[in-house]
Amino acid sequence: MKSVQLPLFIILLFLLQACGPEQQVAQEQTIQEYPVVTIQSSEAVINTEYPATIQGQQNIEIRPKVDGFVAQIFVDEGASVKKGQPLFRINAPQYEQEVKTAFAAIKNAEAEVNTAKMQVEKAMPLVKEGIVSDYELKAANFNLQAKEAALAQARAGLANARTNLGYTQINSPADGVVGSIPYKTGSLVSSSSPQPLTTVSNISRIFAYFSFNEKQFLDFTEHFAGTKMDDKLKQFPAVTLLLANGTTYKEKGKMESIGGLINTETGAVNLRAAFPNAEGIIRSGASATISIPVIVKDAVLIPSKATYEMQEKMMAVVVAKNGSVKPVEIEIMDAPSGEFYVVKKGLNAGDQVVTEGMGTLQEGTKIKPVAEKK
């Protein structure tokens, strides 16, 4: 019996050894290929974009200081005007009458002053001759002073009347562009009218207003040298303005100010950037997007397509040297750098990451990494 069993055992062992390599080949054939990239470290320029509102250097509401009817409109809506250029004339005859009345009051006051001077001149020789007492001369002098004060008051009244009459013609207080004109010729207007006669906007220089949240504010200030905010502002690079039609404004802007308070309701910090606008292309009240470049040295870059979100976490799949994969949580800068993200934590330069099908891979799964074609 033993002589029969031994050859059978040897045959079975031989068969098992013959099947081993084939099974190993089959297992290798089941390992799938996945495209991978090697994480690089280089200098990156991150352009962050924020919605902005545009305001001119000056937005001046033109309101009448006197009551009356709009007699004349010298400009049209959208016209460019210079400082001192006439805009409106208000028909207010009562102010012309006040000027005439003030002139008459001056004439009357001048006559009374002359009469008082004659009384002083008459009393002086009589006092010297002892015909009248000093009391008469002093009284005449006091009367002259009173009349001179009345004359000065009349002249002030004329100046005030002329000022009010001057308000009937309204001139532009600055260079700018005329806005809408809601009141037409013949409309009754006053200083308490609900709408201004128009608005003159000085847009030779415009301001873009936008905001950071508190985290973005702290991240940005960390990138710039200086102990004071004014010093950090000087380090800010030139910023770009993207207009509503998607085009890029040709002039570069400069960051000018950062608000001193964080809005407790929104958690936002207000910022302002200034842009030259000599051609008047951008108008006050427009909407735009401001783009701020930030240079990050030795940045660890990962393609955005090599990341995915899981339970509100940003993830990537790293390939080990033996081909097994491991999902890792990564932390990236809020702002994307083109098609790449800047990794703050979780990856190092030289790591291999999967760029497609990451969500189907479980930790420990072996893959055949294939370098992605550029």
Side-chain angles (χ1 to χ4, degrees):
M1 292 292 293
K2 290 183 180 179
S3 60
V4 175
Q5 290 177 350
L6 183 59
L8 290 174
F9 173 76
I10 294 173
I11 293 170
L12 289 173
L13 182 61
F14 175 76
L15 291 174
L16 289 173
Q17 289 177 347
C19 293
E22 294 180 358
Q23 290 178 344
Q24 186 175 357
V25 171
Q27 288 176 357
E28 290 178 355
Q29 290 176 348
T30 60
I31 297 178
Q32 295 185 3
E33 295 182 351
Y34 281 83
V36 298
V37 295
T38 301
I39 299 298
Q40 302 293 331
S41 175
S42 64
E43 184 178 277
V45 178
I46 301 175
N47 290 298
T48 55
E49 297 181 354
Y50 303 90
T53 56
I54 305 300
Q55 295 294 331
Q57 186 173 346
Q58 289 176 293
N59 292 316
I60 307 170
E61 289 187 347
I62 307 300
R63 293 183 177 273
K65 292 185 176 181
V66 295
D67 301 346
F69 294 94
V70 178
Q72 239 176 324
I73 301 175
F74 299 106
V75 294
D76 198 3
E77 297 175 344
S80 296
V81 294
K82 297 294 184 180
K83 182 178 181 179
Q85 182 176 336
L87 301 177
F88 302 91
R89 185 171 68 81
I90 307 298
N91 183 15
Q94 66 270 29
Y95 297 107
E96 296 178 6
Q97 188 61 41
E98 285 182 3
V99 171
K100 294 178 181 178
T101 302
F103 265 118
I106 288 175
K107 294 292 184 182
N108 182 63
E110 287 176 342
E112 291 184 351
V113 167
N114 291 332
T115 301
K117 285 181 178 179
M118 291 174 61
Q119 292 176 350
V120 171
E121 292 172 355
K122 179 181 177 181
M124 288 179 66
L126 296 176
V127 170
K128 289 180 180 179
E129 295 177 5
I131 299 174
V132 296
S133 64
D134 289 342
Y135 174 81
E136 296 292 337
L137 180 58
K138 290 180 179 179
N141 280 320
F142 288 146
N143 183 55
L144 175 60
Q145 292 175 7
K147 298 303 181 182
E148 287 176 341
L151 176 59
Q153 185 176 8
R155 286 172 176 166
L158 175 61
N160 186 55
R162 281 175 170 170
T163 299
N164 287 335
L165 182 61
Y167 289 148
T168 60
Q169 177 161 308
I170 301 173
N171 300 326
S172 177
D175 296 350
V177 178
V178 177
S180 62
I181 302 176
Y183 299 104
K184 306 306 178 185
T185 303
S187 300
L188 176 63
V189 294
S190 69
S191 57
S192 60
S193 296
Q195 290 182 295
L197 295 175
T198 190
T199 301
V200 173
S201 298
N202 182 353
I203 56 173
S204 59
R205 193 162 171 260
I206 55 99
F207 299 115
Y209 292 89
F210 61 102
S211 61
F212 283 165
N213 62 40
E214 188 174 358
K215 182 179 181 299
Q216 291 167 337
F217 170 70
L218 294 174
D219 286 343
F220 268 84
T221 53
E222 286 178 358
H223 281 87
F224 301 104
T227 55
K228 296 182 179 179
M229 192 55 63
D230 289 342
D231 297 331
K232 292 180 181 293
L233 281 173
K234 293 177 182 178
Q235 303 297 322
F236 258 85
V239 296
T240 304
L241 197 65
L242 306 177
L243 304 181
N245 62 354
T247 60
T248 301
Y249 184 49
K250 65 179 182 179
E251 299 285 354
K252 295 291 185 179
K254 180 182 178 182
M255 195 73 68
E256 283 197 342
S257 69
I258 297 179
L261 296 175
I262 296 177
N263 189 311
T264 55
E265 294 182 0
T266 63
V269 181
N270 294 324
L271 297 94
R272 185 186 77 192
F275 293 81
N277 188 37
E279 298 178 1
I281 295 175
I282 304 177
R283 299 302 174 100
S284 186
S287 60
T289 301
I290 194 164
S291 177
I292 304 176
V294 176
I295 299 175
V296 182
K297 296 182 179 180
D298 298 325
V300 176
L301 302 177
I302 182 174
S304 56
K305 65 179 181 179
T307 64
Y308 65 100
E309 290 189 17
M310 185 177 69
Q311 296 179 352
E312 299 182 354
K313 296 179 180 179
M314 185 66 74
M315 306 292 293
V317 176
V318 178
V319 184
K321 291 182 179 180
N322 63 357
S324 62
V325 300
K326 180 181 179 181
V328 295
E329 181 183 353
I330 62 173
E331 184 179 344
I332 62 172
M333 294 187 69
D334 284 347
S337 174
E339 297 179 355
F340 291 84
Y341 291 125
V342 176
V343 180
K344 296 172 64 177
K345 189 177 180 182
L347 291 175
N348 298 308
D351 288 344
Q352 275 193 338
V353 294
V354 180
T355 59
E356 293 181 12
M358 299 82 66
T360 61
L361 293 174
Q362 296 182 354
E363 183 174 353
T365 302
K366 285 194 175 184
I367 65 169
K368 185 177 181 181
V370 178
E372 189 177 60
K373 295 181 180 179
K374 297 183 179 180

